[in-house]
C-alpha cells in the first residue's frame, strides 16, 4: 500500500455509511456534502472536527471494491492542500500532519512543503522546523520553504545556517533561494557572505535572473557598497521598478542624494512609473539636499497617484517639511496619523529642534513620554538639542534626570549631547559631571567638553583637557581644534592659539573655514589687524563670510575704518541680505562719529528692504523664561522693574560708571541716549531677576544679539553692586559676570 501511495496520490475511498453520496475533490464542495450529514452541528462545525469527521468516516484503499458500498476516486493532494491552506491555528496543522503520518503520506514533499509554508505564515516557525527535520531527504523546494520562513521572520542567522546546511547536503539552490539568502546578508550586514553568495550565483547560472540581481543590488547598497550595487545595476538590461528603486534607495541611504536623484531622473526618462517605495527614497534625497521646491513636486506626484495616506510616505513628507523649516505643514501630516510610529515622532521632534522651535520640540517630547511611547536614542538626543536651544538650566536638569532613569544613561551619543546642552545652558560644572561619568570617551566626547570650555572663554581649561585627551591615547579631530581655537580667541591666548592652529597638520587635519575664521578672530581681538589681514590674503582657500565677518568685528572694536570698509565690501558681495553686516559697519562708523556714513548705511539697508533685528533677552526665574525687548513696558510688573532700574542707575553713577554713548543715534540728546541705554533688554531682564529672586541667586540671561559695549560694562558693575553672579549667553558666547569682572576678559 505504501508503495502505491508513494507513486500516486489519487486513491479510492470506501464509504462506511449506508446512504450514498458523491464528493468533489474541492474543499468547499466537500464540506458542503459533509455538513448535511450532521445538521445538529452545522452552525458550529469547526475545522478540526470537519477533518476528523471526514477521515474517520472514510477508509483509504488502493483498490476499487465491487460491493454494495459507494465507490469513488479521490485526489488526496488537492484534499490536503485545501485543508492546509485554510488552517488558522497550530492545532489544525497538528491534525493534518497526524493524518499524513497515519495514511503513509508523510514523505510527500509537495504536501510537507505546503505544511511548512503555512506554518511559517502562522508564525509557527519552530513547528515548521520540526516538520522539516523529520523529512528524510528534503529537496530544494523544502529547503526554500524553511529558509523563506526564517527570512520572513527576520531570523537572518538561521537563514544563513540553513543555506550552509543545504549546500553540505548537496542540494543546489535555485532562483528562489538566493533572494532570501541575500536579504539575510543585508539584514546582518554580512558583506563577506554576500560576496560568496554572489560567486555562487554565477556558478549556478543565475547571473541574468532579474529577481536575484535585484536582491544583489539591495544587498550591496545595504552593506554600504554602493559602487558594487551600481556595477550590478549597470549590468542589467531588463530593469523593473524594483531594480530602479533598489539603486535609488541605495544612494539615498548611503548619503549620496544627488546620485539618487540622478538615477530617478533616468528612471522617469525610461518611462518607468515610480511606486511608493521609490518615492520614499526620492523624498529622502530631496530632504537631504533641502530642496523644498522639488520635494513639493514629488508631493504633488504622491497626491496624483493617490498615495497620500501611505504611512511611509507620510513619514517622509513629515521629515522633509520639518527639516526644510515648514514645521506647520509637517505637523499637519503628523496629526493625520492616528498612531504615529517612532520614526514619525522623531522626524517631528527633530524638525522642531533644528528649526528654532525648541519649546515645541520639548512639548512634543513630554507628550510622547506622557503617552508611554517608547523612545530611542535619536528621540532623546533631539529633545536634548531642543533643551540646549531653550537655554533653561532647570529644563536641562529635568531631561538629564530622565536620561539617568532610562536605558540611555551610558549611551555615548546621548552623553555627548548632554555635555553640549549643559555648556549651552550656562553650567560647565554639570557638563563636566557628565563628561567624568562617561566611561567610554571617544574623540566626540572630549571635543564636546573642549568646545564647552571654548564657549565660556575658559582657554586654559580647554588646553589642559586637550593634553589629557592626548595622554588618554585619543587622537583629536577638526572639531577638537575648533573648540581649542575658540577657547583661545575668547581668552586672549594668541600665542597658544597660533601654535595649536599649526599643530593641526601633525594630525593630517586640513583646516576648514571655521578654523581660519577662529584664527582671524584670535588675531583681530588682540588688535593684530594687519597680521589678520595678511593671514586672510595667504589662505589656501577662498575666504568666506565667517572670515570677513571676524575681521569686520575686530575693526569695529579697534575703530579701523579703512580695513573695516574693505571687509564689509567683501561681506556685501558674499551675503548681501544679511542685516548683521550692515549693522556692524554702521556701528563702526558711529564709534568714530562718522554720522554721514551711518546715514548712508541706513539708506542702503532701506533700499534692500532690510531692517535691524530686534534685540530681546530671556531670563529664567523658577523654571520659567520671561522675555524682554528694548523699552518694553508690557510686563505685568513693569512698575516694579522701572523702580529697580532707577535704583540701579543711581548706584551705577555713584560707583563711577560712565555710559558708552558712541554707537547711539547722533540726533538724540544725552538724557535721551542714557535712557535708551538703560532700557536695553538685558538691563530689563536683570532688574526683573533682582526683584524676583532671593539675594545671592545666580541670574541666567539669554540674549539673541551680541552684547553691546555699554551693557557689558554696566553688567560688570551691577554684579559687584548686588553681589550676584550674572550669566549671559549672547549670540557669540557666554559671559560670567562676578565681582565686577567678566570671564571673557573683555575679549568678545
Amino acid at each position: 500500500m505504501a508503495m502505491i501511495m508513494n507513486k500516486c496520490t489519487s486513491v479510492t475511498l470506501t464509504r462506511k455509511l449506508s446512504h450514498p453520496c458523491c464528493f468533489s475533490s474541492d474543499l468547499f464542495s466537500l464540506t458542503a456534502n459533509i455538513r448535511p450529514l450532521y445538521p445538529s452541528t452545522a452552525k458550529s462545525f469547526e475545522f478540526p472536527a470537519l477533518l476528523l469527521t471526514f477521515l474517520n468516516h472514510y477508509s483509504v484503499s488502493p483498490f476499487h471494491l465491487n460491493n454494495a458500498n459507494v465507490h469513488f476516486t479521490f485526489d488526496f493532494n488537492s484534499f490536503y492542500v485545501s485543508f492546509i491552506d485554510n488552517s488558522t491555528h497550530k492545532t489544525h496543522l497538528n491534525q493534518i500532519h497526524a493524518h499524513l503520518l497515519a495514511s503513509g503520506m508523510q514523505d510527500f514533499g509537495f504536501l510537507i512543503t505546503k505544511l511548512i509554508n503555512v506554518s511559517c505564515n502562522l508564525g509557527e516557525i519552530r513547528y515548521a522546523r520540526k516538520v522539516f527535520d523529520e523529512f528524510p531527504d528534503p529537496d530544494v523546494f523544502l529547503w526554500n520553504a524553511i529558509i523563506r520562513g526564517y527570512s520572513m521572520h527576520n531570523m537572518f542567522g538561521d537563514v544563513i545556517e540553513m543555506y550552509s546546511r543545504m549546500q553540505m547536503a548537496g542540494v543546489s539552490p535555485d532562483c528562489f533561494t538566493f533572494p532570501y539568502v541575500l536579504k539575510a546578508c543585508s539584514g546582518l550586514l554580512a558583506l563577506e557572505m554576500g560576496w560568496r553568495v554572489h560567486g555562487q550565483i554565477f556558478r549556478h547560472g543565475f547571473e541574468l535572473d532579474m529577481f536575484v540581481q535585484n536582491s544583489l543590488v539591495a544587498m550591496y547598497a545595504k552593506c554600504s557598497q554602493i559602487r558594487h550595487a551600481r556595477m550590478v545595476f549597470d549590468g542589467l538590461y531588463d530593469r523593473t521598478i524594483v531594480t530602479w528603486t533598489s539603486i535609488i534607495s541605495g544612494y539615498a541611504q548611503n548619503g549620496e542624494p544627488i546620485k539618487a536623484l540622478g538615477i530617478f531622473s533616468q528612471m522617469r526618462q525610461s518611462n518607468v512609473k515610480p511606486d511608493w517605495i521609490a518615492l520614499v527614497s526620492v523624498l529622502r534625497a530631496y530632504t537631504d539636499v533641502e530642496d523644498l521646491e522639488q520635494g513639493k513636486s514629488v508631493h504633488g506626484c504622491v497626491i496624483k497617484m493617490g498615495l497620500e495616506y501611505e504611512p511611509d510616505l507620510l513619514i517622509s513628507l513629515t521629515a522633509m517639511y520639518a527639516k526644510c523649516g515648514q514645521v506647520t505643514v509637517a505637523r499637519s501630516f503628523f496629526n493625520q496619523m492616528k498612531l504615529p510610529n517612532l520614526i514619525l515622532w522623531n522626524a517631528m521632534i527633530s524638525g522642531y529642534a533644528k528649526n528654532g522651535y525648541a519649546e515645541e520640540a520639548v512639548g512634543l517630547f513630554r507628550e510622547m513620554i506622557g503617552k508611554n511611547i517608547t523612545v530611542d536614542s535619536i528621540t532623546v538626543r533631539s529633545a536634548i538639542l531642543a533643551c540646549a536651544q531653550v537655554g533653561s538650566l532647570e529644563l536641562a536638569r529635568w531631561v538629564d534626570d530622565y536620561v539617568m532613569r532610562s536605558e540611555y544613561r551610558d549611551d555615548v551619543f546621548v552623553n555627548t549631547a548632554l555635555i553640549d546642552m549643559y555648556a549651552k545652558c550656562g553650567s560647565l560644572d554639570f557638563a563636566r559631571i557628565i563628561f567624568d561619568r562617561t566611561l567610554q570617551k571617544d574623540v566626540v566626547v572630549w571635543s564636546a567638553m573642549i568646545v564647552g570650555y571654548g564657549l565660556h572663554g575658559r582657554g586654559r581649561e580647554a588646553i589642559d583637557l586637550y593634553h589629557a585627551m592626548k595622554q588618554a591615547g585619543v587622537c583629536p579631530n577638526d572639531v577638537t581644534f575648533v573648540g581649542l581655537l575658540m577657547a583661545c580667541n575668547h581668552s586672549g591666548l594668541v600665542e597658544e592659539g597660533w601654535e595649536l592652529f599649526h599643530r593641526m597638520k601633525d594630525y593630517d587635519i586640513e583646516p576648514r573655514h571655521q578654523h581660519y575664521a577662529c584664527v582671524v578672530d584670535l588675531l583681530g581681538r588682540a588688535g593684530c589687524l594687519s597680521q589678520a589681514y595678511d593671514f586672510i590674503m595667504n589662505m589656501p582657500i577662498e575666504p568666506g563670510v565667517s572670515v570677513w565677518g571676524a575681521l569686520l568685528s575686530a575693526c569695529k572694536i579697534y575703530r579701523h575704518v579703512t580695513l573695516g570698509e574693505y571687509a564689509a565690501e567683501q561681506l556685501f558681495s558674499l551675503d548681501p541680505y544679511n542685516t548683521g553686516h550692515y549693522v556692524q559697519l554702521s556701528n563702526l562708523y558711529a564709534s568714530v562719529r562718522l554720522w554721514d556714513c551711518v546715514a548712508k548705511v541706513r539708506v542702503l539697508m532701506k533700499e534692500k528692504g532690510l531692517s535691524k533685528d530686534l534685540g530681546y533677552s530671556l531670563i529664567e526665574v523658577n523654571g520659567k523664561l520671561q522675555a524682554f525687548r528694548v523699552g518694553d513696558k508690557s510686563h505685568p510688573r513693569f512698575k516694579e522693574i522701572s523702580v529697580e532700574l532707577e535704583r540701579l542707575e543711581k548706584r551705577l553713577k555713584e560707583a563711577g560708571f560712565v555710559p558708552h554713548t558712541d554707537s547711539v543715534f547722533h540726533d538724540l540728546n544725552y538724557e535721551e541716549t542714557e535712557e535708551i541705554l538703560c532700557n536695553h533688554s538685558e538691563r530689563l531682564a536683570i532688574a526683573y531677576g533682582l526683584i524676583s529672586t532671593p539675594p545671592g541667586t545666580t541670574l541666567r540671561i539669554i540674549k539673541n544679539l551680541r552684547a553691546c559695549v555699554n551693557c557689558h560694562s554696566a553688567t560688570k558693575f551691577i554684579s559687584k553692586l548686588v553681589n550676584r553672579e550674572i550669566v549671559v549667553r549672547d549670540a557669540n558666547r557666554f559671559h560670567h559676570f562676578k565681582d565686577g569682572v567678566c570671564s571673557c576678559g573683555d575679549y568678545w
Side-chain angles (χ1 to χ4, degrees):
M1 174 177 173
M3 186 183 302
I4 297 173
M5 289 288 291
N6 285 333
K7 290 181 180 179
C8 180
T9 57
S10 182
V11 299
T12 300
L13 294 180
T14 304
R15 190 169 183 278
K16 294 181 177 179
L17 298 181
S18 57
H19 53 279
C21 182
C22 182
F23 289 85
S24 165
S25 61
D26 179 77
L27 173 64
F28 301 103
S29 299
L30 180 67
T31 56
N33 282 298
I34 290 178
R35 287 184 185 276
L37 301 178
Y38 302 92
S40 62
T41 57
K43 291 184 179 180
S44 60
F45 210 65
E46 297 297 333
F47 175 92
L50 174 60
L51 176 61
L52 283 170
T53 302
F54 180 79
L55 292 174
N56 287 335
H57 281 255
Y58 293 89
S59 62
V60 180
S61 170
F63 308 107
H64 288 278
L65 301 177
N66 266 334
N67 56 28
N69 292 332
V70 176
H71 308 287
F72 53 91
T73 302
F74 190 76
D75 184 351
F76 259 90
N77 262 350
S78 298
F79 170 71
Y80 279 112
V81 165
S82 296
F83 271 110
I84 293 171
D85 283 342
N86 285 274
S87 299
T88 59
H89 195 273
K90 182 183 175 183
T91 306
H92 306 164
L93 301 175
N94 280 327
Q95 294 281 352
I96 297 169
H97 195 196
H99 280 282
L100 288 176
L101 292 170
S103 61
M105 299 178 68
Q106 72 275 12
D107 295 339
F108 276 59
F110 175 75
L111 292 176
I112 299 301
T113 301
K114 197 74 176 175
L115 193 63
I116 291 173
N117 279 328
V118 173
S119 298
C120 295
N121 293 343
L122 296 177
E124 299 291 345
I125 189 68
R126 290 185 180 179
Y127 180 74
R129 178 61 181 270
K130 180 177 180 294
V131 173
F132 175 85
D133 288 341
E134 291 176 356
F135 199 85
D137 189 20
D139 58 12
V140 66
F141 303 107
L142 267 169
W143 284 103
N144 285 348
I146 193 63
I147 289 173
R148 167 190 170 274
Y150 282 128
S151 177
M152 69 185 297
H153 292 286
N154 296 329
M155 301 171 70
F156 299 131
D158 295 284
V159 171
I160 300 299
E161 178 198 347
M162 295 306 290
Y163 177 66
S164 299
R165 287 183 56 187
M166 176 182 179
Q167 290 179 299
M168 288 188 289
V171 178
S172 296
D174 62 12
C175 61
F176 297 102
T177 314
F178 289 115
Y180 298 130
V181 179
L182 290 169
K183 179 186 174 184
C185 294
S186 299
L188 297 171
L189 300 180
L191 180 59
E192 290 188 11
M193 182 65 185
W195 280 333
R196 289 199 293 271
V197 174
H198 193 174
Q200 290 158 4
I201 288 169
F202 272 95
R203 284 199 296 274
H204 290 284
F206 295 107
E207 64 274 12
L208 298 179
D209 186 280
M210 181 175 59
F211 298 104
V212 173
Q213 296 303 306
N214 287 345
S215 299
L216 270 174
V217 173
M219 184 274 294
Y220 280 126
K222 190 72 179 289
C223 293
S224 300
Q225 298 293 313
I226 192 63
R227 186 171 63 87
H228 288 87
R230 183 61 185 268
M231 288 172 62
V232 176
F233 174 83
D234 288 341
L236 287 173
Y237 297 102
D238 186 15
R239 295 169 182 161
T240 66
I241 178 59
V242 177
T243 316
W244 289 99
T245 300
S246 295
I247 194 67
I248 291 171
S249 301
Y251 276 125
Q253 292 166 7
N254 283 278
E256 298 191 44
I258 300 299
K259 290 185 178 179
L261 296 172
I263 293 290
F264 179 64
S265 178
Q266 292 179 34
M267 172 183 163
R268 299 306 302 270
Q269 291 171 8
S270 300
N271 294 320
V272 178
K273 185 179 179 181
D275 60 7
W276 68 268
I277 301 174
L279 293 177
V280 165
S281 296
V282 172
L283 283 170
R284 174 174 178 169
Y286 280 127
T287 301
D288 289 343
V289 299
E290 297 188 32
D291 190 339
L292 183 59
E293 290 307 310
Q294 290 298 322
K296 285 181 177 178
S297 68
V298 177
H299 184 188
C301 182
V302 168
I303 294 172
K304 289 178 182 178
M305 295 172 66
L307 299 171
E308 62 266 37
Y309 299 110
E310 174 62 44
D312 286 347
L313 281 171
L314 278 176
I315 292 170
S316 298
L317 287 167
T318 302
M320 180 188 73
Y321 281 108
K323 186 174 182 181
C324 294
Q326 301 288 318
V327 291
T328 304
V329 179
R331 187 59 186 262
S332 70
F333 287 114
F334 178 86
N335 291 339
Q336 287 181 36
M337 299 287 286
K338 292 182 179 179
L339 294 172
N341 63 13
L342 179 59
I343 298 174
L344 202 61
W345 283 95
N346 285 349
M348 199 65 243
I349 293 173
S350 175
Y352 274 139
K354 292 178 180 178
N355 286 286
Y357 295 85
E359 292 183 7
E360 289 83 351
V362 174
L364 201 58
F365 180 65
R366 287 183 183 273
E367 180 183 339
M368 192 176 182
I369 295 173
K371 292 181 177 179
N372 293 320
I373 297 171
T374 303
V375 304
D376 64 5
S377 176
I378 296 173
T379 324
V380 176
R381 280 181 277 158
S382 295
I384 293 171
L385 172 63
C387 292
Q389 292 172 359
V390 172
S392 165
L393 185 59
E394 186 167 324
L395 185 61
R397 295 296 307 275
W398 170 79
V399 77
D400 183 17
D401 288 342
Y402 172 81
V403 170
M404 287 294 290
R405 296 192 306 270
S406 75
E407 60 186 286
Y408 301 105
R409 60 167 295 159
D410 296 322
D411 186 302
V412 67
F413 299 104
V414 170
N415 282 331
T416 303
L418 285 172
I419 293 169
D420 177 71
M421 176 193 70
Y422 272 129
K424 289 177 178 174
C425 288
S427 178
L428 283 178
D429 291 338
F430 284 127
R432 188 58 191 251
I433 290 171
I434 303 296
F435 175 81
D436 291 337
R437 86 179 185 203
T438 304
L439 300 178
Q440 301 297 324
K441 297 182 181 70
D442 60 8
V443 63
V444 182
V445 175
W446 287 94
S447 298
M449 194 66 234
I450 289 172
V451 169
Y453 281 129
L455 279 173
H456 291 261
R458 306 266 283 268
R460 293 297 177 189
E461 288 94 330
I463 293 172
D464 289 344
L465 197 62
Y466 163 68
H467 291 305
M469 174 184 180
K470 291 195 297 181
Q471 289 177 352
V474 179
C475 185
N477 63 11
D478 60 329
V479 178
T480 313
F481 282 98
V482 167
L484 288 167
L485 292 171
M486 185 167 55
C488 290
N489 71 37
H490 284 169
S491 307
L493 303 177
V494 180
E495 292 183 5
E496 291 86 344
W498 187 254
E499 181 185 349
L500 285 166
F501 174 75
H502 289 91
R503 188 68 63 190
M504 291 173 66
K505 64 178 181 293
D506 296 344
Y507 300 97
D508 295 322
I509 299 172
E510 195 69 30
R512 295 184 285 109
H513 264 110
Q514 205 168 356
H515 299 101
Y516 289 113
C518 282
V519 173
V520 173
D521 204 20
L522 175 75
L523 297 171
R525 288 179 193 277
C528 306
L529 297 180
S530 297
Q531 189 178 349
Y533 175 76
D534 292 339
F535 179 79
I536 294 173
M537 292 297 102
N538 291 300
M539 281 172 52
I541 60 176
E542 196 68 28
V545 171
S546 57
V547 172
W548 291 115
L551 183 62
L552 177 58
S553 179
C555 290
K556 191 268 176 186
I557 295 171
Y558 292 97
R559 303 180 181 184
H560 197 306
V561 175
T562 305
L563 190 55
E565 287 177 329
Y566 180 76
E569 287 177 11
Q570 308 307 312
L571 286 167
F572 296 160
S573 174
L574 292 170
D575 194 11
Y577 294 100
N578 188 318
T579 305
H581 307 324
Y582 298 89
V583 173
Q584 277 279 63
L585 180 61
S586 177
N587 288 341
L588 170 59
Y589 286 140
S591 68
V592 293
R593 300 182 179 277
L594 294 175
W595 303 116
D596 290 343
C597 294
V598 171
K600 288 178 182 178
V601 173
R602 290 178 184 166
V603 170
L604 185 60
M605 291 177 65
K606 188 174 182 180
E607 289 175 350
K608 291 183 176 293
L610 303 176
S611 59
K612 183 179 178 181
D613 294 333
L614 291 175
Y616 66 83
S617 294
L618 303 171
I619 182 169
E620 182 181 8
V621 175
N622 297 324
K624 294 182 179 180
L625 293 173
Q626 300 282 336
F628 295 91
R629 294 190 180 276
V630 178
D632 189 1
K633 298 181 180 181
S634 62
H635 197 277
R637 300 183 66 184
F638 178 70
K639 288 185 178 180
E640 297 173 74
I641 294 171
S642 296
V643 171
E644 183 64 23
L645 277 175
E646 290 177 6
R647 192 174 71 86
L648 280 176
E649 288 305 309
K650 183 178 179 181
R651 294 182 67 183
L652 283 169
K653 286 180 180 179
E654 291 173 352
F657 173 71
V658 178
H660 295 253
T661 61
D662 290 343
S663 297
V664 185
F665 304 139
H666 67 285
D667 52 351
L668 298 177
N669 61 39
Y670 185 81
E671 287 76 15
E672 291 173 321
T673 298
E674 192 173 10
E675 182 181 354
I676 286 178
L677 290 173
C678 75
N679 278 281
H680 276 189
S681 61
E682 54 263 61
R683 300 279 284 278
L684 293 170
I686 289 171
Y688 174 75
L690 291 174
I691 65 173
S692 304
T693 58
T697 304
T698 298
L699 303 182
R700 301 182 183 277
I701 297 168
I702 302 168
K703 182 175 173 60
N704 68 320
L705 303 177
R706 183 178 180 272
C708 74
V709 175
N710 184 73
C711 287
H712 189 271
S713 298
T715 307
K716 286 194 294 184
F717 269 83
I718 293 170
S719 68
K720 187 173 184 178
L721 291 173
V722 300
N723 194 27
R724 300 251 198 152
E725 181 178 2
I726 303 173
V727 181
V728 178
R729 183 177 104 182
D730 72 5
N732 293 339
R733 56 163 298 161
F734 275 90
H735 302 264
H736 293 256
F737 300 93
K738 191 173 184 180
D739 298 326
V741 178
C742 180
S743 61
C744 74
D746 295 337
Y747 277 85
W748 96 102

